[in-house]
Amino acid sequence: MSETKNTTLDAASERLLQYDNIEIAKGLLAEIEKKAGRKLTYYVKTFGCQMNARDSEKIEGILEMVGYEEAESENADFVLYNTCTVRENANNKVYGRLGNLLNMKKKNPYMKIALCGCMMQEPEVVEKIKSSYRKVNLIFGTHNIYKFAELLVHCLSSDKMLIDIWKDTDKIVENLPVKRKFSFKSGVNIMFGCNNFCSYCIVPYVRGRERSREPIEIIRECESLVKDGVTEIMLLGQNVNSYGKNLENPIRFSDLLREVNKIEGLKRIRFMTSHPKDLSDDLIAAMAECDKVCPHMHLPLQSGSDRLLKLMNRHYTKEQYLNLVEKLRNAMPNVAITTDIIVGFPGETEEDFLETMDVVRQVEYDNAFTFIYSKRTGTPAARMDDQVPEDVVKERFDRLLALVQENAAKKANLLTGSVAEVMVEQMNEQDESLVTGRLANNALVHFPGKAYMIGNLYQVQLEECKGFYYLGKVVNP
Ligand code: 5AD
Ligand code: SF4
């Protein structure tokens, strides 16, 4: 086992160093391929959120540049799991798959196994892998992804387990290679980390403190994506509403949106995630005035009970949240509102839960992600007494889900018969005469079309609503 040095290079020199390492890795891979008598392949499996998906694209960009070919499954020569730890079951999934992977490694002498992402920032996890999964080749965390080329060089030169986990970083290294999953849409990180410390959440411990990218770098990246055929951009951050506050020249997220909105050729802008405590009137105004910004707000509620919101360290009340929803709907009558809700936070009573149900009933969300509270070691909530019994949580969860689904179906049905703008994303997977696209509110629509339509917007009549998707046809093609 060894560790690489946490170097003190500036970001620009760091970038050059990584490109040097890509060249070294290329040479090493070519030698191994000669020995093996075949091309070597990679497979990256991403767990968790959009941030992880974007990180995986960066890792894949380097693997491709080095010369690996993409494989369809884990039957590959370099397999990487980019992990999530936001809930316990995400961790269990990784351990289960890792066991199988190590069996495959016994049959392939060229196989390397790498693990990265949020789960690796937890010392207990790394200890467990060190003791029980000793054939893993590389473990790194969330703060040093930009050093992946360098880590890959170590990994290709030695069979020893390499562990490189940092507690934090203040460095943002720009312009490393990226392999996009979709030709026409892309995530763009605008900030990293989170400073909110919601009491149930492990993210601030594994993703570190909030760091914003310079607006000029963000705009440059968006422009170059658009030149490369991207028509939809999702601006990514754990709490985009506090973007730019800690920059040397502070800038508001709303003003960043206005700048991105000016990029010619870009058609749609989305963003994730907003924290209600930081949602300003100016952001609502910017959303309403920027024609490319989708009228969709993902606004995590977590709980409707003021008592629990306080214990969760969320810094808003039920009333303040409902006020925000009203402001959003006043500014954009067609805005789609979605949310995240946790059921079974320690000490949640039936009254607390009914407050949550009440908000769901009042807001009539277009969709909601509902989660059963998961105890994360090291967070304040994990130390709270009064963990709610499993059967009670399950019963509440089912009631909430039924209400959420009922609302979502009602909302979706309202659009039946109307004409709406759809971004075509791909050919339909079941029927090759159809294409599949998304409405501004993210709902799926299938309609007759051809491959050249991918990445473009069409006016589509939504003829039939099938619950969570629509069937339609292009109006005046
Ligand atoms: N248990 C359950 N859900 C959680 N989330 C974050 N931490 C936990 C946890 N410990 C949910 C929140 C957040 C979403 C990304 O994951 O609802 O908004
Ligand atoms: Fe977790 Fe809260 Fe930060 Fe979201 S805002 S990542 S829920 S601590």
Side-chain angles (χ1 to χ4, degrees):
M1 215 166 340
S2 55
E3 300 195 12
T4 65
K5 283 217 184 72
N6 183 346
T7 54
T8 49
L9 288 178
D10 63 55
S13 316
E14 185 65 61
R15 173 176 171 264
L16 295 176
L17 176 67
Q18 294 313 314
Y19 273 95
D20 286 347
N21 274 287
I22 289 176
E23 289 308 312
I24 301 171
K26 258 187 204 170
L28 289 169
L29 183 70
E31 269 175 42
I32 301 171
E33 287 185 337
K34 216 157 123 192
K35 211 159 109 195
R38 62 180 175 84
K39 292 293 295 176
L40 261 56
T41 58
Y42 77 89
Y43 182 76
V44 172
K45 168 81 190 157
T46 310
F47 299 84
C49 67
Q50 306 271 359
M51 291 282 207
N52 265 16
R54 186 65 180 154
D55 285 346
S56 290
E57 290 186 343
K58 295 177 184 171
I59 289 165
E60 290 182 19
I62 289 172
L63 287 167
E64 296 239 334
M65 206 171 218
V66 164
Y68 278 100
E69 285 182 357
E70 190 174 9
E72 302 258 302
S73 71
E74 276 132 319
N75 190 3
D77 302 297
F78 189 95
V79 178
L80 178 134
Y81 287 165
N82 188 1
T83 62
C84 167
T85 188
V86 77
R87 287 170 290 276
E88 181 72 34
N89 55 3
N91 289 32
N92 294 337
K93 271 191 225 158
V94 169
Y95 289 128
R97 293 178 81 123
L98 196 53
N100 291 339
L101 210 54
L102 289 166
N103 280 333
M104 292 164 87
K105 190 175 198 288
K106 286 185 195 143
K107 295 182 205 129
N108 178 358
Y110 299 103
M111 187 167 179
K112 302 275 183 186
I113 297 179
L115 301 169
C116 70
C118 295
M119 206 176 140
M120 300 306 129
Q121 293 292 139
E122 291 181 274
E124 315 80 73
V125 169
V126 175
E127 281 312 311
K128 179 163 171 168
I129 294 166
K130 266 160 66 174
S131 60
S132 310
Y133 302 90
R134 292 209 299 273
K135 294 285 176 196
V136 168
N137 298 88
L138 170 63
I139 304 177
F140 59 105
T142 55
H143 302 300
N144 52 347
I145 283 193
Y146 67 81
K147 289 183 86 77
F148 176 64
E150 195 176 335
L151 299 172
L152 183 62
V153 165
H154 283 267
C155 191
L156 289 174
S157 326
S158 154
D159 265 335
K160 273 201 240 155
M161 183 188 276
L162 170 65
I163 302 178
D164 196 18
I165 313 276
W166 299 357
K167 284 212 159 52
D168 216 337
T169 183
D170 53 8
K171 210 181 293 180
I172 299 179
V173 182
E174 301 286 351
N175 294 318
L176 288 169
V178 179
K179 180 188 182 240
R180 287 201 313 277
K181 189 163 173 223
F182 297 96
S183 60
F184 67 92
K185 71 171 176 182
S186 177
V188 169
N189 298 106
I190 64 166
M191 61 200 300
F192 303 92
C194 180
N195 284 354
N196 290 316
F197 291 94
C198 301
S199 64
Y200 50 81
C201 185
I202 200 165
V203 169
Y205 305 90
V206 295
R207 285 264 171 192
R209 293 296 63 71
E210 222 168 81
R211 305 172 301 285
S212 293
R213 281 177 79 193
E214 288 294 338
I216 185 164
E217 297 288 357
I218 296 170
I219 300 293
R220 216 179 269 156
E221 182 176 352
C222 293
E223 284 173 346
S224 97
L225 286 166
V226 171
K227 270 201 199 104
D228 201 29
V230 166
T231 51
E232 177 172 321
I233 280 175
M234 163 95 81
L235 302 172
L236 297 172
Q238 300 296 349
N239 176 13
V240 293
N241 299 345
S242 67
Y243 167 76
K245 286 188 182 155
N246 301 325
L247 285 171
E248 211 169 288
N249 297 311
I251 163 173
R252 298 182 299 188
F253 177 58
S254 49
D255 290 329
L256 179 74
L257 266 189
R258 292 184 175 102
E259 287 306 308
V260 179
N261 194 63
K262 287 183 197 151
I263 298 175
E264 224 166 286
L266 184 61
K267 294 182 179 157
R268 270 187 177 172
I269 304 166
R270 299 182 186 277
F271 57 87
M272 276 262 216
T273 292
S274 292
H275 193 307
K277 81 176 165 61
D278 298 313
L279 175 55
S280 66
D281 290 352
D282 189 51
L283 175 60
I284 298 176
M287 281 181 81
E289 102 205 13
C290 292
D291 59 325
K292 294 172 186 171
V293 176
C294 290
H296 173 198
M297 173 60 83
H298 184 69
L299 197 60
L301 168 71
Q302 314 300 5
S303 169
S305 148
D306 287 346
R307 194 182 73 83
L308 287 195
L309 285 169
K310 200 159 195 161
L311 287 172
M312 287 177 164
N313 196 27
R314 291 290 289 176
H315 298 282
Y316 55 85
T317 61
K318 173 183 176 185
E319 193 188 334
Q320 284 165 334
Y321 185 95
L322 289 171
N323 253 331
L324 289 174
V325 170
E326 196 179 324
K327 282 186 189 171
L328 282 162
R329 292 215 161 116
N330 284 341
M332 294 168 283
N334 63 340
V335 70
I337 301 180
T338 55
T339 199
D340 293 342
I341 298 170
I342 298 176
V343 181
F345 183 83
E348 183 189 72
T349 61
E350 179 63 17
E351 288 69 42
D352 293 320
F353 176 69
L354 289 177
E355 294 283 3
T356 301
M357 293 286 274
D358 184 47
V359 176
V360 174
R361 222 169 264 125
Q362 290 196 47
V363 176
E364 294 197 313
Y365 290 105
D366 291 73
N367 208 347
F369 298 97
T370 49
F371 304 108
I372 286 182
Y373 168 74
S374 170
K375 187 171 170 177
R376 307 313 287 127
T377 313
T379 62
R383 294 188 291 275
M384 291 178 188
D385 307 328
D386 243 358
Q387 305 277 336
V388 186
E390 221 173 282
D391 53 334
V392 177
V393 179
K394 180 79 182 64
E395 190 271 333
R396 287 181 191 158
F397 183 83
D398 290 345
R399 266 193 284 162
L400 175 65
L401 192 62
L403 181 62
V404 162
Q405 286 176 345
E406 187 191 320
N407 277 340
K410 201 157 59 181
K411 274 276 153 112
N413 241 326
L414 287 179
L415 292 181
T416 311
S418 67
V419 173
E421 202 167 57
V422 178
M423 169 76 79
V424 177
E425 300 215 324
Q426 60 187 61
M427 296 306 294
N428 186 286
E429 280 167 358
Q430 267 91 46
D431 181 342
E432 57 187 33
S433 70
L434 302 180
V435 290
T436 297
R438 280 181 198 274
L439 297 177
N441 72 9
N442 226 19
L444 284 172
V445 187
H446 307 293
F447 57 98
K450 298 244 155 49
Y452 71 84
M453 297 164 88
I454 294 172
N456 290 316
L457 290 171
Y458 292 87
Q459 296 295 323
V460 175
Q461 169 123 37
L462 307 174
E463 293 177 317
E464 201 180 330
C465 177
K466 297 273 196 185
F468 295 103
Y469 65 91
Y470 302 88
L471 298 177
K473 71 161 191 281
V474 176
V475 182
N476 302 327

